[in-house]
Amino acid sequence: MRAIPSVLCVHAHPDDEALFTGGILARSAEAGARTSVVTCTWREGDIRVDELRRSLSVLGAGKPRLLGYTDNGFDGGALFGMSPFDEAVGKVVAHIREFRPDVVVTYDAFGAYGHPDHIHAHRVTLAAFEASPFAQLFPEAGEPWQPSHLCQATIPRSTIEAKWETLFGYSAPPPGPGVPGVPDEDVDLAIDVGRWYDKKWSAFAQHESEIARGGGATRIAKMSEEERREILGTEWFLHRGLSRIGEDPFLPR
């Protein structure tokens, strides 16, 4: 019997697990893989964590794993982007060593679309991915573990250009350093998750407080079903790992 790769996602906020990786999480769980999600912000007792718990239940991804930082600085917590770097890395290393995934997933270096918490989550996760196999680093975080793959959620530039106004709610700016998206030829994986769209959307819909807030989640919720299926039906990734990628690392092998 072929082994089914286990998957650990590291996301900045509740709802990101559904938006960026809901398809691969649902697909992997359906295949029998162990899946889990680390969320860098929010703490137990907050409504957003309750919504996260429901979303993870839909996706089959277990219970929330929370780093306990905040993304707003107004609730008395430590602001994630201003947290001591090694402290945050050590927390993620502990989750990697405890869960022992084959595949670790986070955002690309621009945080997919430039959110500072996403960018910080990328940096922290990349460092944790590299550190987790070294017994000399973070010895208090558990027995060393070497994940095989790091996949970084991204968006191809052609999709950004075609869907800018739908995604961001205003006319597209001229190309420049602040515009998200990577060249299409740089995308290593474009995974069709249309079969798992219903679970992905159901998981995202659990984040009622974020949908009601008036930002990007609200725009997605107001899209037509056809638009949502088109935008959410593919998940894109950059890849790095122990060897060059030759196939989908989430599939049994």
Side-chain angles (χ1 to χ4, degrees):
M1 181 178 293
R2 297 193 299 169
I4 303 172
S6 52
V7 181
L8 179 68
C9 297
V10 182
H11 285 294
H13 314 111
D15 81 15
D16 293 335
E17 79 292 334
L19 180 61
F20 292 101
T21 56
I24 58 106
L25 284 169
R27 186 182 75 164
S28 294
E30 182 180 290
R34 295 184 303 114
T35 61
S36 193
V37 174
V38 174
T39 305
C40 298
T41 60
W42 303 94
R43 294 171 291 177
E44 284 290 355
D46 191 277
I47 187 174
R48 294 204 65 187
V49 175
D50 293 336
E51 294 167 346
L52 172 64
R53 184 173 287 105
R54 296 198 297 271
S55 172
L56 295 178
S57 178
V58 170
L59 297 173
K63 298 179 180 179
R65 294 171 176 264
L66 305 171
L67 297 195
Y69 298 109
T70 180
D71 67 348
N72 55 41
F74 296 119
D75 66 355
L79 190 65
F80 176 53
M82 299 299 291
S83 62
F85 186 71
D86 279 1
E87 175 188 278
V89 172
K91 290 182 177 184
V92 175
V93 166
H95 285 290
I96 291 174
R97 290 178 178 173
E98 188 275 326
F99 188 73
R100 306 180 90 72
D102 298 302
V103 186
V104 174
V105 184
T106 190
Y107 317 93
D108 65 20
F110 193 55
Y113 63 87
H115 193 297
D117 285 345
H118 291 199
I119 293 171
H120 196 56
H122 163 84
R123 294 169 178 164
V124 166
T125 307
L126 181 60
F129 178 85
E130 299 286 357
S132 62
F134 284 88
Q136 305 96 318
L137 298 174
F138 306 101
E140 72 287 352
E143 291 296 315
W145 176 253
Q146 175 67 77
S148 298
H149 302 276
L150 176 68
C151 292
Q152 303 170 45
T154 194
I155 309 173
R157 191 156 295 155
S158 62
T159 298
I160 288 291
E161 291 171 353
K163 301 296 181 182
W164 181 280
E165 194 160 353
T166 301
L167 289 167
F168 298 102
Y170 57 92
S171 299
V179 177
V182 299
D184 289 30
E185 62 270 22
D186 289 349
V187 176
D188 294 305
L189 291 167
I191 299 178
D192 181 353
V193 296
R195 177 178 159 189
W196 297 272
Y197 166 82
D198 289 339
K199 277 196 173 181
K200 177 172 179 170
W201 175 245
S202 177
F204 189 82
Q206 303 307 310
H207 296 283
E208 296 172 355
S209 64
E210 186 65 8
I211 290 172
R213 190 172 65 87
T218 308
R219 286 194 297 275
I220 292 172
K222 289 182 176 180
M223 291 177 186
S224 69
E225 182 75 4
E226 182 180 1
E227 285 179 314
R228 281 204 301 267
R229 284 186 178 275
E230 184 178 0
I231 289 173
L232 301 181
T234 304
E235 292 173 359
W236 301 275
F237 301 93
L238 308 179
H239 171 269
R240 65 180 296 170
L242 301 183
S243 60
R244 290 186 59 84
I245 191 167
E247 59 184 357
D248 187 335
F250 301 99
L251 292 179
R253 64 190 75 262

